[in-house]
Amino acid sequence: MGDETCSQSAKSDQNGKSWLAIILVGLIDIVLLYGITLMYAQGEIAFALLTLFLMACGSWVFISQRGYCYRYVFPGLLGVFTFIVFPLLYTINIAFTNYGSNNLLSLERVREIHLAKTYSSGDGSWGFRLYQEGGGYHLVLEDNDGNQFETLSFGELFEPVSIQAAPLKPDSAGTTGTPLSMREIIKQRSSLKQLTIIMPDGTGLVLAGLRKFGPLSKIYEAQTDNPLILTDTRTGETLYPDMNSGFYTDGTNEVGPGFSVYTGWKNFNEIFSNPGIQGPFFKIFVWTVIFSALSVVFTLIIGLLLACLIQWEPLKGNGLYRMLLILPYAVPAFISILIFRGLFNQNFGEINMLLELLFGIAPEWFSDETLAKSMVLIVNTWLGYPYMMILAIGLLKAIPDDLYEASAIDGATPWQNLTRITIPLIIKPLTPLLIASFAFNFNNLVLIALLTGGGPDLLGATTPAGATDLLVSYTFRIAFESYGQDYGLASAIATLIFLIVGLIAWLNMRVTRRMQEG
Amino acid sequence: MAEVKLNGISKSYDQGKTWIIKDVNLEIHNGEFVAFIGPSGCGKSTLLRMICGLEDITTGEMHIDGELINDHPPHERQVGMVFQSYALYPHMTVAENMAFGLKLARADKSIIKQRVDEAARMLQLEPLLERKPKAMSGGQRQRVAIGRSIVQEPRVFLFDEPLSNLDVALRVQMRQELSQLHRRLKTTSIYVTHDQVEAMTLANRIVVLSPLQPGAKTNLEQVGGPLELYHHPANLFVAGFIGSPKMNFLNAELQQPGEEWSTIKLTSGETLKVAANTSSSACGSQVIIGIRPEHVLLLPDKKQDQTEKDNTVIATVSTLERLGSESFIYLDHDSVREYLIVRVTGSGLQNENDKLGIHLPPKQCHLFSAEGLAFSRTHKPELNTCQS
Amino acid sequence: MAMVQPRNLKYRVWYARIALWLFLALILFPFLMIISVSFRSGNFATGSLIPENPSLEHWYLAFGIPWENPDGSVTEPFFPVLLWLWNSIKVAFFSSILVLMLSTTGAYAFARLRFKFREHMLTAMMILQMFPAVLALVAIYTLFDKIGDYIPWLGINSLGSVTIAYIGGIALHIWLIKGYFETIDNSLEEAAAIDGATPWQAFRYVLLPLSVPILAVVFILAFIASIGEYPVASILLHSMDKLTLAVGSQQYLNPQNYLWGDFAAAAILSGLPITIIFLACQRWIVGGLTSGGVKG
Ligand SMILES: Nc1ncnc2c1ncn2[C@@H]1O[C@H](COP(=O)(O)OP(=O)(O)OP(=O)(O)O)[C@@H](O)[C@H]1O
Ligand SMILES: [Mg+2]
């Protein structure tokens, strides 16, 4: 069948609106094309291609009859593609670069920055007088030949500013306002340092001492035969881009800022060989697996027991119990986690207060490794058991009552009921859900970020790494915590996690399929 | 009111790898009531859905009133369809259900009201107009579904097993109502069913479809009036499909072909005479004799000399089904694959394992070639004669 | 579960009840505690579980009203909680609407239309769903940084960016709605087609009105999910007035500026409405979770 049905449906949905659609799509395309050109001009090839690709798909889908069926899925797929697939691919791409706060820009941008660097060269100098006029200031400059220039007015300055200067008319003498004394000029020095004065002939002047302004010169100029290599106009030394480190270098020293370059498998090698990363990485990996597995086991046991219990009719008031038991799931997780963070607080927390009162102990929940880990597990079990309970209730309802009646006739105990009937019957449909739950906990960033922030810190790590960190929160910290954000390394770890998650997803699909068949 | 013409219609769901329907040629006349009948899965619904445009036509041409409609979307074909599940819109009242199509077509409010009221009156739905489908019985829903197509004034009515969800009593009543409705409106109707009684009682003509056999040219088996199918089935499939219980088939070989009378010899040895024209076949070719259970005659008693009588065979009683007013006797006989069934009026007084002599009247027998095609019958079938 | 156990049933019931109550006490302890803390004056534990001299200090601050201390000094609210709540609600509302629209149309196509790559798209979506956005945060940050160059209200530090970033998570919802659509008799739309409806009209006038229950479930699920979303919001939003509740709340427990009491009141104030919505819709959410879960 395929396309046939699709264009068939399309036929009945065309009543003269098609022209309108084409015009609309055309307009959107024009806007997008303009944007794409801009992106291309700025060197954002990846984004230009992405937009172009999506635009082409969109236009085809909404204009062609054969694209009719895809009109319904296109917007959704667009969202999935833009916010899941593209970031995924982009992340994998970054994993092979040294992208990070030290190497943020492209090579061209860094070259431009170097080429724009200036110094005051000192040949020729302009004496100056500073005038105050109301809240503003202006300068009068005088060169060696006695020509005078007056600048526009400026206030107090905190960032670089360039202002124009014009020849001073001999009669006006530039004397509106009062000239300031040397002491006051020193006070204004920080403002004056920010100034670049553009003379009528185009040269820029900067402060070159307490009493004079001097002309600016470019520090570097590009070599003609290889425009990427820069020559220092002062010393004649050359600066060339090091494509391995992502910095311009003169052979010994690196000159910032860095640019991002492809570094191949370096980030991955780093993970597996650099002891400052490898050690924490494996520790964190092991903990992540233990954490996810234990979370699943604990929540499953508690959830299953509770489900059995509140399904038990003689108990009475089951509805109320159920609601109270679901409460941890109903409260937004970020609030509950923060509540626990407060309750477990070493000094001010209510839990330690109680323990102190009852047993006279005050465990260091956040600085002791084992305690921190147990706390994370306790909180996660608290958060997660209602979900398991809900699932278990749903599955238990599907078990026919007569099985239990039959087993009662055989004289089975409740425990035997559970192990011989209940668990074997629900384990099949439950397995894919348990795998999904494992995957969820594997990536449970919110819990760690809000509860411990990863701490207590691991010793001997060159990157921020903590005892309770999961792989995701470790990645998150490498990428976004203030010191030395290393996007490349973070993306490399993320790529490894993609592989693990992909494996889990594949496993889940297989298990689900097997469950459906058998 | 319209004529529907199917010209070499075929359907495949997988680009021609397997065919569901193959080469169906059919002409349905103005005002006719045609029933499609066939075993489950033979493609009746599929054929009907191709007529109304819910399925693509893989090959062939479909005309309504001379207009080629292969590529028309459903609503442009101006047909009305009643689904097996009724397919009433659950969130609309009866009136809204009936008016939906007219509203989509932006018909005048007054016209909508007038047509809905008229249909409601015709179908005795007036008191129910404001109800939702959920609050109605099966028969009422059925009427609403019919009403919904009536208000559109379609050229052709299509019914897909409309009565199969009703209980027996209601089915009989609705059958009569449908029949009356057709007599009143005289709209061309096509009716899919697997119930022979419905087809025989409602239809002017019946189209018998069979599941497509590998290698077969078509799965349209026969088209004809109800009695024509009963008395002159064109092939083994139709002969076996029409009539209940099934026609008995006895394996035989042609001993003496003839234009009016043919003599055949059963595989178990008896010779029989049959009123069928077999002049085109060679002596000794394999044939199959068919006779309906209601046409087989029981001989008064199991006297040995009756074996000598013409067209008589002896068989052993295997089981008896006694229904009171009539009984079915299941007999074992070597030339029959399963049982030879005989219908007798009254409560059959025979016992199991009795040996019975049965008479197969020559003029009531059908004769089929080994390929399953019927030899034409040479005598008007006699009136059904039953005995106790 | 019908356990046929006539003997000593009574004792068993009581054992079960007591166990359940103890467990409930443990589970509800944090909630009771946080209520108590919110009425305690000051931000540091005072040594008793039930506040001795209750004060509304934290509640005033949570509502954004300055609080006058007994000594005459005035405490200004530290954080704009209500604004954060409002931001969260705005983001959640609009992203849920978007998610609902996209997943409904998508689910319709997947449930009813036949087209190439249909199965592949479905499988791909289900697999992609497993990859958390957390891992691609650098890319997402860069993406919105770039988008912001052209469309400022979708750039970094805008609520718009967070709203549309949540569109990525529609696969599960598509799956849920698709399952529901498949329970609706296909012949309804066929009847509509014969009545002259275009596919769009059949979708709009027949299928949609019949699917209101599942659409409500999906809306609520999406709403709750985006209210609680932390990672993406935390990197996209910076300035105090743009934060959502999930990102803002943690600032209360900053070790340098520990506002335990204020947090308690703010948490109750903002968590309560969401909890109530959840409990009120519990039945549907649970149904959605189990069916979606068991199928997907
Ligand atoms: N969408 C489809 N894709 C593939 N095969 C189909 C499809 N719809 C129907 N079929 C096949 O086409 C054949 C005919 O189906 P159809 O529904 O027409 O049978 P039917 O004669 O109406 O049977 P019934 O009396 O049970 O309703 C069946 O074998 C069925 O499996
Ligand atoms: Mg059918």
Side-chain angles (χ1 to χ4, degrees):
Chain A
M1 37 167 74
D3 285 349
E4 284 167 42
T5 340
C6 192
S7 40
Q8 177 90 6
S9 342
K11 265 174 238 151
S12 52
D13 218 353
Q14 306 271 337
N15 15 22
K17 284 187 234 149
S18 55
W19 277 111
L20 208 69
I22 291 178
I23 292 172
L24 202 70
V25 171
L27 282 179
I28 295 175
D29 282 359
I30 289 173
V31 174
L32 285 178
L33 275 176
Y34 175 71
I36 291 169
T37 327
L38 281 184
M39 286 182 218
Y40 184 75
Q42 296 200 350
E44 308 287 2
I45 310 286
F47 288 94
L49 281 179
L50 171 74
T51 323
L52 191 67
F53 173 69
L54 295 179
M55 184 193 87
C57 292
S59 309
W60 179 76
V61 162
F62 283 96
I63 288 176
S64 161
Q65 287 225 345
R66 297 186 47 208
Y68 181 81
C69 288
Y70 299 96
R71 285 177 207 176
Y72 289 90
V73 282
F74 180 75
L77 289 181
L78 183 68
V80 172
F81 189 85
T82 317
F83 299 116
I84 296 187
V85 180
F86 178 75
L88 221 94
L89 299 177
Y90 196 82
T91 304
I92 296 176
N93 184 38
I94 295 174
F96 294 94
T97 68
N98 63 352
Y99 192 47
S101 56
N102 291 333
N103 302 67
L104 206 53
L105 304 170
S106 64
L107 175 58
E108 285 93 275
R109 282 288 299 137
V110 170
R111 181 171 163 267
E112 279 165 24
I113 287 174
H114 284 311
L115 286 179
K117 279 185 184 164
T118 52
Y119 72 102
S120 116
S121 52
D123 46 333
S125 66
W126 278 259
F128 70 90
R129 297 189 300 277
L130 183 62
Y131 288 89
Q132 185 168 28
E133 189 185 7
Y137 303 90
H138 65 266
L139 284 166
V140 172
L141 301 160
E142 188 179 337
D143 68 8
N144 297 338
D145 305 336
N147 300 322
Q148 297 201 5
F149 300 87
E150 186 186 23
T151 69
L152 300 174
S153 135
F154 54 91
E156 210 151 311
L157 301 174
F158 302 102
E159 49 189 42
V161 163
S162 41
I163 60 171
Q164 295 285 338
L168 186 68
K169 293 184 191 80
D171 47 323
S172 73
T175 47
T176 49
T178 44
L180 299 178
S181 67
M182 196 61 209
R183 166 138 19 113
E184 279 161 307
I185 288 177
I186 291 172
K187 265 192 202 160
Q188 293 302 324
R189 215 162 62 129
S190 61
S191 275
L192 292 179
K193 271 189 173 167
Q194 305 287 356
L195 269 184
T196 306
I197 297 164
I198 312 292
M199 298 303 282
D201 63 356
T203 51
L205 303 183
V206 291
L207 198 62
L210 269 183
R211 290 168 193 284
K212 56 181 185 174
F213 272 77
L216 272 181
S217 308
K218 297 263 190 272
I219 299 181
Y220 299 108
E221 74 190 359
Q223 291 189 353
T224 41
D225 49 342
N226 186 351
L228 278 181
I229 297 180
L230 309 176
T231 316
D232 191 326
T233 50
R234 295 168 299 185
T235 60
E237 274 178 6
T238 56
L239 213 57
Y240 57 90
D242 180 351
M243 288 315 209
N244 292 322
S245 68
F247 282 96
Y248 264 94
T249 164
D250 56 10
T252 45
N253 298 319
E254 292 176 341
V255 186
F259 48 90
S260 60
V261 287
Y262 282 96
T263 50
W265 295 96
K266 177 161 168 287
N267 289 318
F268 293 93
N269 284 339
E270 200 76 340
I271 296 173
F272 292 110
S273 57
N274 180 341
I277 300 174
Q278 180 216 42
F281 178 84
F282 280 103
K283 262 197 189 141
I284 290 171
F285 176 74
V286 170
W287 161 241
T288 307
V289 174
I290 293 177
F291 165 80
S292 317
L294 286 183
S295 295
V296 173
V297 170
F298 291 162
T299 51
L300 177 66
I301 291 176
I302 296 183
L304 198 57
L305 283 179
L306 288 174
C308 289
L309 203 58
I310 66 168
Q311 290 283 91
W312 193 34
E313 274 144 30
L315 202 61
K316 302 219 177 69
N318 308 47
L320 180 69
Y321 287 131
R322 192 173 103 157
M323 202 181 82
L324 288 176
L325 286 170
I326 284 182
L327 215 53
Y329 195 60
V331 177
F334 70 91
I335 290 184
S336 324
I337 295 170
L338 289 173
I339 290 179
F340 274 108
R341 177 157 147 196
L343 290 178
F344 274 110
N345 189 294
Q346 163 74 27
N347 303 318
F348 315 119
E350 278 65 18
I351 289 178
N352 272 6
M353 198 178 82
L354 269 184
L355 291 178
E356 184 102 60
L357 212 67
L358 297 176
F359 309 108
I361 50 169
E364 301 185 316
W365 294 107
F366 287 91
S367 37
D368 182 273
E369 197 176 311
T370 325
L371 283 176
K373 284 180 172 173
S374 352
M375 173 183 72
V376 167
L377 276 172
I378 292 172
V379 174
N380 202 32
T381 308
W382 185 93
L383 286 168
Y385 81 85
Y387 176 68
M388 288 294 177
M389 187 181 81
I390 291 170
L391 293 180
I393 290 177
L395 294 171
L396 287 180
K397 278 206 179 119
I399 301 180
D401 274 350
D402 48 12
L403 282 183
Y404 294 104
E405 279 152 24
S407 81
I409 292 167
D410 295 342
T413 63
W415 177 250
Q416 284 170 325
N417 273 341
L418 186 70
T419 50
R420 298 267 172 79
I421 301 180
T422 313
I423 291 179
L425 276 177
I426 63 172
I427 198 70
K428 259 188 165 189
L430 206 54
T431 314
L433 299 171
L434 296 183
I435 297 177
S437 169
F438 183 88
F440 171 82
N441 282 312
F442 200 89
N443 295 311
N444 199 340
L445 173 74
V446 184
L447 177 73
I448 302 301
L450 292 184
L451 188 61
T452 62
D457 281 342
L458 286 178
L459 300 177
T462 50
T463 49
T468 56
D469 258 327
L470 302 179
L471 280 180
V472 261
S473 60
Y474 181 51
T475 319
F476 186 77
R477 290 172 71 182
I478 293 178
F480 294 104
E481 217 160 68
S482 40
Y483 37 102
Q485 302 171 345
D486 190 343
Y487 297 148
L489 182 62
S491 299
I493 299 179
T495 305
L496 291 179
I497 306 180
F498 286 150
L499 292 179
I500 298 171
V501 172
L503 199 72
I504 299 177
W506 175 79
L507 190 72
N508 202 358
M509 296 260 293
R510 285 207 48 168
V511 172
T512 314
R513 200 158 292 163
R514 175 136 358 124
M515 294 299 162
Q516 277 162 358
E517 279 163 9
Chain B
M1 300 247 256
E3 282 180 4
V4 182
K5 216 166 119 188
L6 278 64
N7 207 340
I9 295 291
S10 305
K11 174 75 187 175
S12 165
Y13 280 108
D14 45 11
Q15 279 95 26
K17 263 175 253 151
T18 54
W19 294 89
I20 305 293
I21 288 182
K22 210 163 166 188
D23 196 23
V24 169
N25 292 292
L26 190 61
E27 234 171 282
I28 297 167
H29 309 297
N30 208 340
E32 220 178 356
F33 197 119
V34 169
F36 289 176
I37 188 168
S40 184
C42 68
K44 308 180 292 287
S45 303
T46 308
L47 191 53
L48 197 72
R49 290 161 59 84
M50 287 198 279
I51 297 175
C52 72
L54 294 174
E55 297 284 356
D56 291 337
I57 296 165
T58 314
T59 60
E61 287 178 352
M62 173 109 50
H63 299 267
I64 296 185
D65 275 345
E67 183 190 0
L68 182 70
I69 53 153
N70 276 31
D71 289 332
H72 288 202
H75 66 278
E76 281 176 22
R77 303 188 180 195
Q78 294 172 34
V79 297
M81 174 125 170
V82 176
F83 292 84
Q84 182 174 9
S85 58
Y86 317 135
L88 298 180
Y89 311 125
H91 56 300
M92 301 184 195
T93 62
V94 170
E96 286 166 346
N97 258 290
M98 295 209 271
F100 183 68
L102 293 175
K103 272 191 197 148
L104 286 180
R106 307 239 162 78
D108 226 38
K109 277 237 172 65
S110 57
I111 293 183
I112 297 182
K113 181 155 175 30
Q114 180 207 331
R115 289 220 206 146
V116 169
D117 285 347
E118 197 182 310
R121 195 162 33 76
M122 208 184 301
L123 296 161
Q124 294 135 38
L125 286 171
E126 280 152 320
L128 305 176
L129 278 178
E130 293 313 313
R131 286 225 202 140
K132 293 261 175 79
K134 214 189 283 173
M136 293 194 298
S137 73
Q140 289 165 335
R141 288 183 207 181
Q142 185 59 62
R143 283 199 210 114
V144 178
I146 295 170
R148 188 172 62 183
S149 22
I150 289 182
V151 294
Q152 299 253 46
E153 301 185 343
R155 299 189 286 186
V156 185
F157 274 131
L158 306 172
F159 299 92
D160 191 354
E161 309 200 19
L163 305 185
S164 58
N165 283 349
L166 305 179
D167 66 38
V168 181
L170 202 54
R171 207 179 296 174
V172 173
Q173 186 198 336
M174 284 303 299
R175 203 162 74 199
Q176 282 156 3
E177 284 183 23
L178 271 178
S179 173
Q180 280 168 13
L181 196 71
H182 179 248
R183 249 175 280 144
R184 181 136 48 124
L185 295 174
K186 302 213 168 48
T187 310
T188 313
S189 302
I190 303 176
Y191 188 102
V192 165
T193 177
H194 56 244
D195 181 344
Q196 298 177 29
V197 184
E198 264 172 37
M200 304 282 262
T201 51
L202 280 170
N204 309 122
R205 276 200 301 158
I206 297 177
V207 175
V208 183
L209 296 170
S210 66
L212 194 68
Q213 300 302 322
K217 281 204 213 67
T218 172
N219 55 344
L220 180 77
E221 297 288 346
Q222 191 174 4
V223 184
L227 290 181
E228 190 185 345
L229 295 188
Y230 181 79
H231 289 302
H232 297 283
N235 52 40
L236 268 180
F237 179 83
V238 179
F241 189 73
I242 301 282
S244 167
K246 257 174 73 132
M247 187 185 274
N248 297 305
F249 294 116
L250 295 82
N251 296 323
E253 80 179 26
L254 196 57
Q255 207 167 41
Q256 192 184 349
E259 283 208 5
E260 192 181 349
W261 297 99
S262 315
T263 316
I264 52 117
K265 187 172 162 207
L266 292 180
T267 45
S268 49
E270 299 92 333
T271 11
L272 301 178
K273 231 169 126 191
V274 177
N277 177 358
T278 54
S279 53
S280 57
S281 287
C283 176
S285 52
Q286 295 290 318
V287 289
I288 295 154
I289 275 198
I291 183 154
R292 298 195 182 277
E294 55 269 36
H295 295 152
V296 182
L297 298 177
L298 276 191
L299 294 181
D301 221 333
K302 40 173 185 176
K303 289 175 198 156
Q304 289 305 314
D305 60 309
Q306 274 162 352
T307 354
E308 311 309 316
K309 202 183 157 192
D310 270 356
N311 275 20
T312 303
V313 295
I314 306 257
T316 321
V317 177
S318 166
T319 22
L320 284 152
E321 266 179 17
R322 299 190 176 97
L323 305 179
S325 68
E326 58 183 17
S327 306
F328 298 106
I329 307 173
Y330 290 73
L331 299 158
D332 283 325
H333 188 267
D334 287 345
S335 62
V336 188
R337 179 128 21 99
E338 290 170 350
Y339 295 109
L340 204 157
I341 307 172
V342 180
R343 194 182 86 170
V344 293
T345 50
S347 6
L349 299 173
Q350 295 75 10
N351 294 314
E352 281 173 23
N353 296 328
D354 280 0
K355 278 198 185 315
L356 293 184
I358 53 172
H359 175 60
L360 312 174
K363 291 183 184 171
Q364 298 287 19
C365 289
H366 302 248
L367 200 61
F368 303 92
S369 69
E371 295 82 50
L373 293 178
F375 293 105
S376 60
R377 302 176 70 183
T378 52
H379 284 252
K380 273 243 159 70
E382 290 161 24
L383 281 181
N384 190 357
T385 45
C386 270
Q387 78 282 331
S388 51
Chain C
M1 250 197 297
M3 298 190 191
V4 190
Q5 283 289 348
R7 269 178 306 120
N8 60 30
L9 180 69
K10 217 169 162 184
Y11 296 111
R12 277 162 185 267
V13 170
W14 276 107
Y15 289 144
R17 269 189 205 150
I18 288 168
L20 204 54
W21 289 341
L22 284 178
F23 185 77
L24 271 176
L26 208 62
I27 290 304
L28 299 181
F29 169 74
F31 296 128
L32 302 176
M33 218 49 250
I34 206 75
I35 294 174
S36 148
V37 170
S38 78
F39 287 105
R40 222 152 56 182
S41 56
N43 276 314
F44 303 102
T46 53
S48 86
L49 294 184
I50 297 158
E52 281 141 9
N53 40 0
S55 116
L56 285 178
E57 170 187 351
H58 305 306
W59 284 95
Y60 267 73
L61 295 177
F63 277 105
I65 308 166
W67 170 259
E68 204 182 319
N69 292 317
D71 61 6
S73 64
V74 172
T75 315
E76 290 289 333
F78 249 102
F79 299 115
V81 192
L82 287 181
L83 180 65
W84 290 345
L85 181 61
W86 179 233
N87 284 345
S88 282
I89 290 176
K90 273 195 289 190
V91 167
F93 181 79
F94 287 110
S95 70
S96 307
I97 295 269
L98 277 175
V99 162
L100 191 62
M101 289 194 317
L102 297 186
S103 50
T104 311
T105 47
Y108 171 70
F110 284 124
R112 289 292 200 254
L113 304 176
R114 297 281 168 275
F115 47 93
K116 262 192 203 140
F117 308 124
R118 177 172 159 275
E119 292 299 324
H120 302 103
M121 285 183 191
L122 268 175
T123 330
M125 284 236 242
M126 286 324 289
I127 291 180
L128 285 174
Q129 190 65 36
M130 305 265 298
F131 294 94
V134 189
L135 295 174
L137 282 180
V138 175
I140 290 178
Y141 183 88
T142 321
L143 181 65
F144 280 100
D145 197 25
K146 293 286 143 57
I147 292 180
D149 290 347
Y150 304 94
I151 316 170
W153 55 273
L154 286 182
I156 299 291
N157 200 22
S158 68
L159 292 179
S161 64
V162 189
T163 308
I164 68 162
Y166 294 159
I167 293 178
I170 58 173
L172 196 69
H173 301 308
I174 289 190
W175 199 257
L176 259 182
I177 303 177
K178 172 177 162 281
Y180 191 86
F181 281 168
E182 279 164 355
T183 64
I184 296 176
D185 187 0
N186 197 11
S187 52
L188 286 182
E189 288 145 78
E190 293 177 346
I194 291 173
D195 273 346
T198 61
W200 173 253
Q201 284 172 322
F203 172 62
R204 169 69 191 76
Y205 296 116
V206 178
L207 201 56
L208 269 196
L210 293 176
S211 317
V212 173
I214 193 70
L215 300 188
V217 169
V218 165
F219 183 85
I220 295 165
L221 286 177
F223 191 87
I224 289 176
S226 68
I227 287 258
E229 204 281 342
Y230 171 80
V232 173
S234 79
I235 60 143
L236 289 184
L237 304 176
H238 302 310
S239 57
M240 201 58 111
D241 61 328
K242 289 283 169 56
L243 297 187
T244 59
L245 206 54
V247 183
S249 306
Q250 61 166 334
Q251 308 214 358
Y252 278 108
L253 300 186
N254 189 333
Q256 275 85 49
N257 184 14
Y258 193 73
L259 302 174
W260 184 219
D262 291 354
F263 167 76
I268 299 172
L269 177 67
S270 50
L272 205 59
I274 302 165
T275 310
I276 288 174
I277 294 179
F278 187 99
L279 289 179
C281 309
Q282 192 201 128
R283 193 148 41 99
W284 297 291
I285 295 175
V286 169
L289 277 179
T290 29
S291 70
V294 172
K295 276 181 203 151

